Amino acid sequence: MQHGPAVRRRKLGAELRALRTSAGLTSGEAARLVGWHQSKVSRIETGTSGVKPADVRLLLDAYGVADSQLRELLLVLAGSDDGGGRHHWWHAYRGVLPPTYRDFISLESQATAMRTLETTVVPGLLQTPEYARAVTKAAVEGLPEDRLDTLVEVRLARQDVLRADPPLELSAVLDEAVLRREVGGPGVMARQLERLVEAARLPQVRLQVLPFAAGAHIGVTGPFVIFSFSSTSDLNVVVLDHLTSSLYLERKEDLQAYTEAFNALQIHALSPEDSLDFIAGTAAGA
């Protein structure tokens, strides 16, 4: 279990090591190709030191990596803000957002799919502006208005991943409590439920409701997010949010456990069609 930056370094290093091996090169041979000392290649591959995007490009060129999607993903993990894909807009908020949140946004921006269990609030990618404001204000007491405005702006900007080409594939299991908890007042909640109905009809969004009638379930331990990447499953990661930080789980055992948990939750939840009816019915009674 690591904080975001450490996980990113380790994942980047592991992928670069795999690419070097596939290219049939030793670490010493790779170092000579790019004009470095062998120890630098070793430190990068073990994640013990950071690596600049320019150095990643040198290594990828030396290894003959032509896959543009994979190259961009690895450059993002190295902190690049000039990749060839989605604009890395979050770098404009470096002075406002903590590193773990920027890491989360960068992974979210580059992921192919996102699976999430939410037990308390609507997923950030599906929140209305009013709902996002109410949630943020409640989560961080005493927040100045200008900073509150900025955090809401960031949350809404994140939603562009659902409109990208191709869009992020979002699968979300929502505990019924998410629909019943009145956030921001009746009017705000009514509009938020309407937004969920609209989102549930999008082809890239799969929403399922876990009703109270399902009883105790594996998700009672708390919400989580699983990011998946089409270029390589080795970069898949589980994110757990805490009050002051986020924790990232990268071990294969952790990924398997959370994937199995999510699959079980989907089985116990209402089908997407019945969930849409459930949300619409809740909205009608809000």
Side-chain angles (χ1 to χ4, degrees), residues 196-229:
L196 284 179
V197 171
E198 295 171 0
R201 296 192 174 108
L202 296 174
Q204 68 271 34
V205 176
R206 178 187 175 95
L207 286 186
Q208 291 182 257
V209 175
L210 195 61
F212 290 147
H217 53 77
I218 196 168
V220 296
T221 55
F224 60 85
V225 173
I226 306 172
F227 284 123
S228 300
F229 300 86

Side-chain angles (χ1 to χ4, degrees), residues 62-120:
Y63 303 159
V65 178
D67 185 329
S68 59
Q69 187 175 14
L70 177 57
R71 289 178 67 98
E72 182 182 346
L73 177 56
L74 296 180
L75 287 169
V76 168
L77 289 178
S80 173
D81 60 1
D82 61 351
R86 299 170 185 160
H87 178 58
H88 304 149
W89 55 268
W90 59 91
H91 288 280
Y93 297 91
R94 283 183 181 273
V96 179
L97 305 180
T100 51
Y101 192 18
R102 295 202 305 268
D103 281 334
F104 183 91
I105 295 173
S106 69
L107 291 172
E108 182 179 73
S109 176
Q110 297 299 319
T112 304
M114 174 180 175
R115 288 164 286 177
T116 181
L117 165 69
E118 290 291 349
T119 58
T120 55

Side-chain angles (χ1 to χ4, degrees), residues 11 69 73 86 104 106-116 167-171 224-239 249 255-256 258-259 262-263:
K11 285 186 172 295
Q69 187 175 14
L73 177 56
R86 299 170 185 160
F104 183 91
S106 69
L107 291 172
E108 182 179 73
S109 176
Q110 297 299 319
T112 304
M114 174 180 175
R115 288 164 286 177
T116 181
L168 175 75
E169 298 286 338
L170 173 64
S171 296
F224 60 85
V225 173
I226 306 172
F227 284 123
S228 300
F229 300 86
S230 61
S231 297
T232 170
S233 62
D234 288 340
L235 292 173
N236 294 356
V237 64
V238 177
V239 185
L249 306 178
L255 286 163
Q256 181 177 350
Y258 277 88
T259 297
F262 190 81
N263 292 341

Side-chain angles (χ1 to χ4, degrees), residues 185-196:
V188 170
M189 199 63 204
R191 287 187 290 275
Q192 179 59 72
L193 291 174
E194 291 172 2
R195 166 67 180 132
L196 284 179

Side-chain angles (χ1 to χ4, degrees), residues 23-44:
L25 298 170
T26 66
S27 58
E29 289 169 339
R32 285 193 293 274
L33 281 174
V34 294
W36 298 345
H37 192 279
Q38 187 271 340
S39 61
K40 180 174 180 177
V41 174
S42 296
R43 288 196 303 273
I44 290 172

Side-chain angles (χ1 to χ4, degrees), residues 8-16 51 56 74 77-78 235:
R8 284 159 56 110
R9 286 198 305 270
R10 289 176 57 181
K11 285 186 172 295
L12 176 58
E15 186 63 20
L16 289 172
V51 54
V56 172
L74 296 180
L77 289 178
L235 292 173

